[in-house]
Amino acid sequence: MKKIITLLLIIIVSSSYSQEIKNRYYQAEIATPLIINSTYGEFDTLGNRSDYWFLPDGLSFKFGVGVHQKKWVAVGIHSGIDWLGSNKLVVVPVFANFRLSPKISQDSRIYMQFGYGKTIGLGRGSLIGDYKKINFGVENEDGLSIYIQLANFGIPFKNLDSVGSFSIGIALTTF
């Protein structure tokens, strides 16, 4: 893992000092983790029915930079901050990101992103774990995309072996 991150950093730093950079990308994401609505279909004291299957459970911001080959394959280093409301947990993932994004039409792409790295829990002692994520999304020609994400933070917390999340979000990627 250390060799992979070191190689990624060398590629990114060397590309940032080149005269003309044509293959660098930047990506910013915002997402909300979702939890299952335990009161789905029930009525509250005011007579309102709970009709949502999922409810928001926090907020996630991530930013990354890397290199790409014709927008089809990309490798980068990313970081961010994730807040999981129901667990009262804030984590900072730092991870290598691998992206595949083939075209599905003239002006749109589908993509899969795989991330692997480390997670650091803030304010909870020494919570450190292995971060793993996978994103599936659709991107337009301007780099704006909507995606779903499955993430595992690798941190044992309370009665859970490992904390994870299911999120929906938007991202902006500039090539």
Side-chain angles (χ1 to χ4, degrees):
M1 178 62 194
K2 289 181 183 179
K3 291 180 183 179
I4 293 171
I5 291 175
T6 304
L7 180 62
L8 287 173
L9 288 173
I10 290 170
I11 291 170
I12 292 167
V13 169
S14 65
S15 70
S16 67
Y17 288 108
S18 66
Q19 293 292 330
E20 187 176 333
I21 301 169
K22 293 183 179 180
N23 64 341
R24 190 175 357 175
Y25 79 90
Y26 298 95
Q27 183 173 359
E29 305 175 12
I30 184 169
T32 183
L34 302 173
I35 58 172
I36 295 174
N37 183 0
S38 61
T39 62
Y40 174 75
E42 296 178 9
F43 291 91
D44 64 10
T45 57
L46 298 173
N48 297 322
R49 182 177 169 185
S50 179
D51 288 332
Y52 301 106
W53 289 355
F54 297 101
L55 296 173
D57 185 41
L59 203 54
S60 172
F61 297 103
K62 293 190 180 70
F63 179 79
V65 62
V67 293
H68 69 92
Q69 179 63 33
K70 298 182 182 180
K71 299 182 184 180
W72 205 90
V73 177
V75 178
I77 188 89
H78 292 232
S79 186
I81 189 162
D82 288 313
W83 166 53
L84 302 172
S86 62
N87 289 327
K88 297 179 180 79
L89 183 64
V90 177
V91 295
V92 175
V94 178
F95 58 98
N97 194 59
F98 178 72
R99 173 182 161 127
L100 294 171
S101 54
K103 276 190 169 185
I104 57 173
S105 72
Q106 187 69 346
D107 58 349
S108 62
R109 297 176 175 272
I110 59 170
Y111 69 86
M112 288 191 321
Q113 289 187 131
F114 305 96
Y116 183 78
K118 288 292 184 182
T119 301
I120 302 164
L122 299 179
R124 298 284 183 165
S126 60
L127 291 178
I128 296 176
D130 289 334
Y131 179 73
K132 300 171 204 144
K133 76 156 187 140
I134 184 166
N135 286 18
F136 297 102
V138 178
E139 181 178 69
N140 69 10
E141 63 188 22
D142 298 326
L144 190 62
S145 62
I146 185 167
Y147 65 89
I148 58 171
Q149 172 182 289
L150 294 172
N152 185 323
F153 299 104
I155 295 175
F157 190 68
K158 295 184 181 177
N159 59 350
L160 302 171
D161 291 335
S162 181
V163 177
S165 70
F166 169 74
S167 304
I168 186 166
I170 59 172
L172 178 63
T173 307
T174 57
F175 293 98

